[in-house]
Amino acid sequence: MDGTKPAMESNAEETQDEGQESKGCFECCIKCLGGVPYASLVATILCFSGVALFCGCGHVALTSTLTMLENHFSTVTSDHATLTLVIQIFQYIIYGIASFFFVYAIILLAEGFYTTSAIKKELQSDFKTTVCGRCITAFFMFLTYILALIFLAIFGFTAIPVFIFFNMWNTCAALKSPDSNLTSPGSVCVDVRQYGIIPWNATPGIACGSTLGEICNTSEFYLSYHLYIVALAGAGATVIALIHYLMILAANWAYLKSAVTTHEYQDIKTKDDQDLEAEARSKEGQNSSSYS
């Protein structure tokens, strides 16, 4: 019995150490998870998804649109030379948008981590934010507001090709539908010149009847239409992500400003208490010296 008692005590100590270690790991995980800015993380994922959809689908849709125009609506290269140049410029802009927002979203996520930890330390009186930190948050808030307005304009601009292809899609559906009762299918036409995409002297510039039916069955038309819809959805998701970022930055800035005000009040109160204590001690010293 005496030999089993030390063994039981050692097993109890090992079990207790394992329990303390697991508890320490659990508390560490909870502390790490508590420092994650979940709102910024959600906004970053939404921003990455929106920008990826807009840039990827928009780039491919522009290429397919140019191929469709070259093959069916503007067979003369000089007629759509300006359009080709504009599409190339838009594609380069898409490259820039993708690169910029990839970096900017990571910066805003890092700023969210910094601000979250700063606010917690501020509340624990272990850390005081600086004017520079608050100015950085205000700068990102202003820049995000400008970017939200810009991407809102991009969202509206992306709706233009969706509208054009939607009209073409409805015309193709009417041409194929047996319920439309068309007496002369050759009179059903799509004239892309009226949208200002190509000049009025472009050859042929218009497609009717069976030619239009062939265009409707091409992969370029089907792919471009659906990719423009996805790109529009991506632009909308990016706008939502930027608005989300804007609300996060505004809330963080307000928290930091409130924390600074609270600390200033606490500092003044502490200083007044110290002055009162010093004054009380000096009076006690004077009274003790007068009695002696």
Side-chain angles (χ1 to χ4, degrees), residues 115-211:
T115 308
T116 301
S117 61
I119 290 172
K120 288 189 175 183
K121 291 180 180 179
E122 187 90 37
L123 295 176
Q124 296 171 358
S125 299
D126 294 334
F127 180 76
K128 288 188 178 182
T129 58
T130 61
V131 177
C132 181
R134 296 194 298 274
C135 289
I136 290 174
T137 302
F139 170 74
F140 281 130
M141 186 167 56
F142 172 76
L143 183 58
T144 304
Y145 176 75
I146 299 299
L147 292 175
L149 292 179
I150 293 174
F151 231 95
L152 187 62
I154 293 175
F155 175 77
F157 182 78
T158 310
I160 296 176
V162 174
F163 171 74
I164 295 174
F165 275 87
F166 176 74
N167 288 338
M168 291 183 63
W169 183 275
N170 286 337
T171 305
C172 293
L175 187 64
K176 296 177 182 178
S177 176
D179 299 330
S180 57
N181 296 325
L182 296 175
T183 56
S184 56
S187 62
V188 179
C189 301
V190 170
D191 189 355
V192 297
R193 296 173 298 182
Q194 63 181 341
Y195 300 110
I197 301 174
I198 54 178
W200 281 103
N201 58 355
T203 305
I206 189 172
C208 302
S210 60
T211 304

Side-chain angles (χ1 to χ4, degrees), residues 225-248:
Y225 177 49
H226 290 87
L227 286 180
Y228 277 126
I229 294 176
V230 177
L232 180 65
T238 306
V239 172
I240 295 173
L242 290 173
I243 294 174
H244 197 174
Y245 273 131
L246 188 61
M247 292 188 295
I248 294 167

